[in-house]
Amino acid sequence: MFISVFDIFKIGIGPSSSHTMGPMVAAGRFLDDLRSKGLKPARITASLHGSLAFTGKGHASDRAICLGLAGHDPATIDPACIEGEMERLQRDKRVMVEGIGGIAFDPETDLVFDYGPPLPAHANGMIFRALGPEGETLLEETVYSIGGGFVATAEELERQNDLMPRTNDERAPFAFRSAAEMLQMGEASGLSIEAMKRANEEARDPDGDLDEGLDRIWRAMNACLERGLSLEGELPGGLKIKRRARAIHQKLLGDAGKNRPFQHTVMDWLGVYAMAVNEENAAGGSLVTAPTNGAAGVIPAVIRYYLDHCPDGCGSGIRTFLLVAAAIGGIIKANASISGAEVGCQGEVGSASAMAAAGLCAALGGSNAQVENAAEIALEHHLGMTCDPIGGLVQVPCIERNALGAVKAVTAASLALRGDGTHFVPLDSCIETMRQTGLDMTDKYKETSKGGLAVNVVAC
């Protein structure tokens, strides 16, 4: 099994990889299918089901569908153009599709939030229909947004359980599916996790510049972080949540010259880095899934901690960090889930924290066993975490939750580096526990905003 670092870390827009990026990609795929079949429908309709219905408005799923049908892609769309595009669609009530022409689509009537039972294959379901001039169905497709910006049709879900983009296993020299296999292959080959992951990536794209690709991902992460540190104001959505990262950052800069700073101030730096990213995500800005939008602040925060607060932090260490983090993220995705709609926030912030802990441990010179230990510690202490966004918005408790996930990641890496890699609970057992916990968790705690903080805090 091999999932590329560039599938785990994807440039997109906020506020949600499953609710915003996934629906936008799904809409684009539907247009591709229309073109490939030579169909020219008179009208397109779409319906959102399960978690996409219950929290879709707060997560901008409706806007994502509209933008996807208008031909936009999450990796390239300019957030500054979105409002104008939405105003045009509301006015014209049609989309101009490349290779097809104009198709009627009224967001008010042709996009339906279905609050009934979720579709059978996944909590995040969508149905797209292309209709002829008499209202007859020309094409109907059911698509699922399965977390991290990944999408799959119903047929693909039926055909295989493992949907992640990957090379043929024969081409990837170290196609580990589990942490145990990863450690065994490392011991047999004498290679680090980074070296094995690098070999897999180079087999996937022999002519590509892997390091430039990794640097591009970090530049996008850091640019998002810096934007978050520079902006003030109220986040959209109606909760009247104010951005805090800039003010906290200014206070930290002011305290930097004090003769006797608190040692725990480093946690404030971790927190403000993570909050800056997730405030940008909540505002619909450009960012990198890591491995999701809702958990996108953890890994950039820990990388900035590595650069700004660790001796000898450097660019090559960031590449090591990203490769190792992606290796751990791929194992989690293959064997459990990174989707809050499937397993709750343990699958989002928990996975991100485990990935960050492993990446930091590797960047600081940890052994393969220590890296696996770091990931396990971080994930273990997120088990059972629910996804209960107030008002269906990726703001409370999501923004602060990233800050705490970053702190846990650094703590886990530090504990692992203090040991020799020997530990009681294997990472694979922890991942399986997360999967089982997600199955047992009631749907009201899985991104539907029907339980937890979402119903116990009045949103005014």
Side-chain angles (χ1 to χ4, degrees), residues 7-8 10 17-18 21 146-150 289 291-292 333 338-339:
D7 293 319
I8 292 291
K10 296 188 288 293
S17 51
S18 60
M21 290 174 58
I146 59 176
F150 294 93
T289 61
T292 66
K333 183 163 179 59
I338 59 172
S339 169

Side-chain angles (χ1 to χ4, degrees), residues 165-222:
R166 58 190 181 184
T167 63
N168 294 327
D169 287 354
E170 295 79 11
R171 290 184 57 196
F174 303 100
F176 47 80
R177 185 184 176 90
S178 67
E181 287 183 359
M182 178 181 71
L183 293 176
Q184 291 164 3
M185 289 180 184
E187 184 174 357
S189 65
L191 296 175
S192 67
I193 296 170
E194 178 211 0
M196 291 189 290
K197 183 65 174 168
R198 181 174 286 274
N200 287 345
E201 295 291 341
E202 290 172 346
R204 172 186 185 262
D205 186 8
D207 299 323
D209 189 334
L210 176 59
D211 286 344
E212 171 52 30
L214 295 171
D215 293 345
R216 182 176 64 253
I217 291 298
W218 168 239
R219 286 195 299 269
M221 286 181 171
N222 196 48

Side-chain angles (χ1 to χ4, degrees), residues 69 89 125 132 160 222 226 238 253 331 341 415 421 436 452:
L69 292 176
L89 182 56
Q160 56 180 5
N222 196 48
E226 290 292 345
L253 291 174
I331 291 171
L415 285 172
Q436 293 177 9

Side-chain angles (χ1 to χ4, degrees), residues 38 58 75 125 152 163 181 216 236-237 250 265 306 317 329 340 354 362 369 405 420 447 451:
L163 294 163
E181 287 183 359
R216 182 176 64 253
Q250 292 300 311
T265 298
Y306 164 72
D420 62 2
E447 212 168 2

Side-chain angles (χ1 to χ4, degrees), residues 113-171:
F113 288 80
D114 189 323
Y115 299 106
L119 298 178
H122 192 279
N124 291 334
M126 297 160 276
I127 299 177
F128 294 91
R129 294 181 178 90
L131 307 178
E134 303 300 323
E136 71 277 18
T137 299
L138 303 178
L139 179 67
E140 177 178 312
E141 285 188 355
T142 299
V143 187
Y144 296 93
S145 181
I146 59 176
F150 294 93
V151 298
T153 64
E155 291 74 19
E156 287 168 335
L157 279 172
E158 290 174 0
R159 201 163 53 238
Q160 56 180 5
N161 292 323
D162 183 3
L163 294 163
M164 287 69 70
R166 58 190 181 184
T167 63
N168 294 327
D169 287 354
E170 295 79 11
R171 290 184 57 196

